[in-house]
Amino acid sequence: MKQHFRVSTALLAAVLLAGCGSISSKDGGYYATESPSAEGAYDTAAGAANSSIVPEELPDSTDETAQKIIYNADINMESTDFDAARDTLLAAVDDCGAWMEYSSLSGDAKDHDRYAYYTVRVPVENYRTFLAAVGEAGSVLDLSETAENITSSYIDVQARLSALEAQRERLNALADQAETTADLLEIESQLSDVQYQLENYTRQLKNMDQQVSYSTVDIRLSEVATLTPTGTTFGERVADAFAGGWHGFVAFLQGFVLAVIYLWPVLLVVGIIVALAVTLTKRRRKNHPKPVKPAAPAKPAEYTPQSTNDEPKPKY
């Protein structure tokens, strides 16, 4: 009886510990207990090897005492030679030991309006090298970077894993001492719940390690006939504005001429219809002239008698 009481007491303690250690994040994902440090988020010309986001000496991602930081970048670029720019990007992926997580290509080469979207996972130690290589592929319109510190979340998940592993060991010991089937079933139920939480937190930890070890770089590449001006000084911006205005005017004229050429059958038919309508209207007016309205008769003048007071008086 005393042995059964001790088992029940120990089981109750395990249940209470399970309640303390079962607080999990929503949908199995990890969360930051501190607001992520979104450093940078600046626009600059890509290809700069010195990034204000990534430090000169990156810590070893396997070091348990190192800060756990996730580096991400978003690049928007354009090129007049789309094929060469795409080949340069793909070569940079291979040279930096990265891998393509997502790739999309749209548009037509004949119309010179192709677009490519890439999501690349880059080893964090090659992050800056990859950005520099991407900057050589074309004209970078903007580059934004973020750095998210998840050290607090990482340590929290590690602590929960340690607590759950210790709890699993205690439950296994209680299972060996269980004397009744009811106690054994209750312990096994608790073990199943603990095992589920262990697998969940282990998956979160691996996901964090993956995000820290491999930076995410999103690239948008567009094909253009003329590069967008990227001058920085006022004089350069004025010169780029004049050049951009002229190129835009030339492009408008070219588009207008091409539109007229494409639509010449329609314009011809419309012209014939308008000419026929004008001819028929003139002919109708000639054959059916409008009747002339007769002039209104003049009104007779009204007689106004003169007053007798105005007659001259005779002289005596």
Side-chain angles (χ1 to χ4, degrees):
M1 184 65 180
K2 292 183 179 180
Q3 180 70 18
H4 179 69
F5 176 76
R6 287 196 299 268
V7 173
S8 300
T9 303
L11 180 59
L12 178 60
V15 171
L16 293 176
L17 289 174
C20 296
S22 61
I23 303 175
S24 58
S25 58
K26 184 179 181 181
D27 298 333
Y30 60 86
Y31 60 92
T33 56
E34 298 178 354
S35 58
S37 58
E39 303 175 7
Y42 62 95
D43 295 337
T44 183
N50 296 324
S51 171
S52 62
I53 293 292
V54 182
E56 291 292 337
E57 295 294 334
L58 289 172
D60 186 2
S61 59
T62 59
D63 186 3
E64 295 182 356
T65 61
Q67 293 288 310
K68 304 298 180 180
I69 302 177
I70 300 175
Y71 298 102
N72 296 323
D74 191 293
I75 303 175
N76 184 21
M77 59 191 307
E78 61 185 16
S79 176
T80 56
D81 191 345
F82 186 84
D83 294 325
R86 184 178 58 181
D87 293 340
T88 302
L89 289 175
L90 297 179
V93 172
D94 294 334
D95 295 340
C96 295
W99 52 278
M100 194 75 67
E101 187 176 61
Y102 175 79
S103 174
S104 175
L105 178 65
S106 60
D108 190 357
K110 295 181 180 179
D111 297 333
H112 302 286
D113 61 350
R114 287 174 290 178
Y115 293 86
Y117 301 90
Y118 301 111
T119 298
V120 185
R121 301 299 302 276
V122 186
V124 66
E125 60 272 13
N126 296 332
Y127 176 75
R128 288 189 298 168
T129 303
F130 180 75
L131 291 185
V134 170
E136 300 296 330
S139 176
V140 176
L141 301 179
D142 54 80
L143 164 66
S144 61
E145 299 179 70
T146 60
E148 181 182 1
N149 193 331
I150 61 169
T151 305
S152 298
S153 299
Y154 194 91
I155 294 175
D156 179 68
V157 173
Q158 283 183 323
R160 292 174 187 271
L161 277 174
S162 299
L164 287 171
E165 290 174 353
Q167 183 180 347
R168 182 175 59 180
E169 293 179 359
R170 288 193 295 270
L171 289 173
N172 285 327
L174 289 175
D176 295 336
Q177 301 174 7
E179 297 180 351
T180 65
T181 304
D183 290 341
L184 184 60
L185 291 176
E186 182 64 24
I187 294 173
E188 288 180 350
S189 176
Q190 290 297 319
L191 276 172
S192 178
D193 183 62
V194 169
Q195 185 63 33
Y196 172 78
Q197 295 182 57
L198 279 171
E199 293 175 356
N200 185 25
Y201 283 115
T202 301
R203 183 169 58 253
Q204 292 183 40
L205 205 62
K206 289 182 179 180
N207 187 32
M208 290 182 180
D209 289 331
Q210 181 76 4
Q211 295 291 328
V212 171
S213 300
Y214 287 87
S215 301
T216 302
V217 180
D218 293 318
I219 303 172
R220 292 185 298 274
L221 173 64
S222 58
E223 182 180 23
V224 295
T226 305
L227 296 177
T228 301
T230 56
T232 54
T233 65
F234 179 75
E236 291 177 346
R237 294 171 63 183
V238 171
D240 290 339
F242 276 109
W246 173 253
H247 289 306
F249 177 71
V250 172
F252 170 76
L253 289 180
Q254 292 176 350
F256 178 76
V257 172
L258 291 175
V260 171
I261 294 175
Y262 278 121
L263 298 176
W264 75 266
V266 178
L267 296 177
L268 179 61
V269 173
V270 172
I272 293 174
I273 293 174
V274 172
L276 289 175
V278 172
T279 303
L280 293 175
T281 301
K282 290 182 178 180
R283 184 176 299 176
R284 182 180 179 184
R285 289 178 179 177
K286 183 178 180 181
N287 296 334
H288 303 280
K290 294 182 179 180
V292 179
K293 295 182 179 180
K299 295 182 179 180
E302 296 180 356
Y303 173 75
T304 305
Q306 297 181 352
S307 176
T308 57
N309 296 330
D310 296 336
E311 294 180 358
K313 296 180 178 180
K315 298 180 179 180
Y316 297 99

